[in-house]
Amino acid sequence: MLDNITHSLTGWALAETGLKHRTRKGLAACILAANLPDIDVFFGWAPWAPLAMHRGFTHGLVGGVLLLPPVLALLLWALDRWQGQRGRIVADAPPMHVGWLLTLAYLGAITHPLLDLQNVYAVQLMSPLSERWFHSDGLFIISPWLLAMLGVGIWRSRRRRSGTAAIVALAACVVFIISNVGISALAWAAPSNDAPYAAPDRIFASPEAIAFWRRDVFWRQDEAITRGRFDPLVSLTRLVRYGHATPDNMNDPLVQRARNDNANVRDFLAWAQMPMARVVRKGCEATVTIGDARYSDPAVAGSFTTEAHLTVC
């Protein structure tokens, strides 16, 4: 997921455009709404699968965009009433406008799935109507470029008491993201345009943090995963390099048994987009380890795997 610092800065930048002066609690509405969909991290235990799934219901157009903002606006309005009754509202605070409070909650909330859509973790935009995962691969999970643009825009707007810098920063972020989605679209096409002339049924193009134009490309074809490298500064149409296809082993009978018998495996596979399995047999025991090709880098792979231990004799 995109980090909550980026989400917070996005909401803050929105507020600094001048929107925070539209109503009391305007700044709080923008920042809290920009983070609100991540409330799902507290509901992993929920019996309703769309709510328990991170980047599921609360990140979708129904839950995160349509239903949650009014809840936040109501809570902020109630807090404002409580503070007013106790004389805790500063004299120069703007008046409370419920309509604007709700509008800012909606504006902040929509930024969250739009940003999360930009990385390979993906998001279930149509949950609970569909379990399909959407992604545009425009950003690394923590983009220092985005952080810098937002941070400078907020700082300059507050220093100059003008929303112009925040508007420019947000516009620059939009241009940066759209440009990177365009690069990823080129990366998606590269394995088919030239060697290895692939026909993927699923493909991801993961950007780097600093060298944002480079992509690690992963695709699945014929039950095998291949990894390649794309750099538009080298070629706009072909991969710089690519490896050999590795069977994903997902149709191995022991992997299927692990899926059927183990709830943790089923939950993992509900999230995994490019699952790969390794089966290790030792005597009458077998260990099935399932990971996701998107996170095959040794530095993070351990956090994105699940295991099942089976008796085979």
Side-chain angles (χ1 to χ4, degrees), residues 1 37-60 116 121-125 127-128 130-133 263-273 294:
M1 61 183 178
D38 278 340
I39 196 174
D40 59 6
V41 299
F42 299 107
F43 292 97
W45 52 268
W48 189 43
L51 180 58
M53 175 68 71
H54 181 49
R55 292 207 183 185
F57 175 71
T58 67
H59 284 66
D116 280 356
Y121 197 102
V123 61
Q124 290 183 333
L125 281 179
S127 177
S130 169
E131 295 181 352
R132 179 183 173 185
W133 291 89
N264 289 333
V265 171
R266 289 195 299 274
D267 289 344
F268 182 86
L269 290 175
W271 164 80
Q273 307 292 293
R294 296 173 298 169

Side-chain angles (χ1 to χ4, degrees), residues 93-165:
M96 167 59 71
H97 290 294
V98 176
W100 268 110
L101 189 67
L102 181 59
T103 299
L104 297 185
Y106 273 117
L107 284 174
I110 190 65
T111 66
H112 193 108
L114 288 178
L115 283 173
D116 280 356
L117 182 68
Q118 305 309 319
N119 59 67
V120 296
Y121 197 102
V123 61
Q124 290 183 333
L125 281 179
M126 303 307 296
S127 177
L129 305 177
S130 169
E131 295 181 352
R132 179 183 173 185
W133 291 89
F134 295 83
H135 62 101
S136 63
D137 301 355
L139 294 172
F140 185 70
I141 195 166
I142 301 176
S143 171
W145 302 98
L146 218 60
L147 291 173
M149 286 185 279
L150 292 169
V152 170
I154 292 167
W155 171 71
R156 290 179 67 88
S157 281
R158 291 180 65 83
R159 185 178 182 184
R160 297 183 176 186
R161 298 183 180 275
S162 167
T164 302

Side-chain angles (χ1 to χ4, degrees), residues 25 66 121 139 146 159 181 192 216 259 276-277 284 294 306:
K25 302 295 185 291
L66 182 63
Y121 197 102
L139 294 172
L146 218 60
R159 185 178 182 184
V181 172
S192 303
D216 286 318
R259 180 203 296 262
M276 299 182 69
C284 288
R294 296 173 298 169
T306 189

Side-chain angles (χ1 to χ4, degrees), residues 98-265:
V98 176
W100 268 110
L101 189 67
L102 181 59
T103 299
L104 297 185
Y106 273 117
L107 284 174
I110 190 65
T111 66
H112 193 108
L114 288 178
L115 283 173
D116 280 356
L117 182 68
Q118 305 309 319
N119 59 67
V120 296
Y121 197 102
V123 61
Q124 290 183 333
L125 281 179
M126 303 307 296
S127 177
L129 305 177
S130 169
E131 295 181 352
R132 179 183 173 185
W133 291 89
F134 295 83
H135 62 101
S136 63
D137 301 355
L139 294 172
F140 185 70
I141 195 166
I142 301 176
S143 171
W145 302 98
L146 218 60
L147 291 173
M149 286 185 279
L150 292 169
V152 170
I154 292 167
W155 171 71
R156 290 179 67 88
S157 281
R158 291 180 65 83
R159 185 178 182 184
R160 297 183 176 186
R161 298 183 180 275
S162 167
T164 302
I167 294 172
V168 171
L170 288 168
C173 289
V174 171
V175 172
F176 180 76
I177 290 171
I178 291 175
S179 300
N180 273 278
V181 172
I183 293 173
S184 289
L186 294 174
W188 297 331
S192 303
N193 288 337
D194 206 314
Y197 300 102
D201 59 71
R202 198 71 195 274
I203 188 167
F204 289 85
S206 180
E208 289 187 9
I210 303 299
F212 60 84
W213 57 91
R214 295 175 184 162
R215 298 290 185 272
D216 286 318
V217 185
F218 306 88
W219 68 90
R220 182 180 62 205
Q221 179 182 348
D222 300 329
E223 300 177 0
I225 305 293
T226 307
R227 177 173 179 167
R229 183 74 163 169
F230 178 79
D231 188 335
L233 300 183
V234 177
S235 173
L236 293 175
T237 59
R238 66 177 186 273
L239 297 173
V240 175
R241 60 179 181 273
Y242 59 90
H244 297 290
T246 303
D248 63 21
N249 296 321
M250 294 306 298
N251 286 326
D252 185 293
L254 288 179
V255 176
Q256 294 297 311
R257 180 179 158 190
R259 180 203 296 262
N260 294 332
D261 296 349
N262 191 299
N264 289 333
V265 171

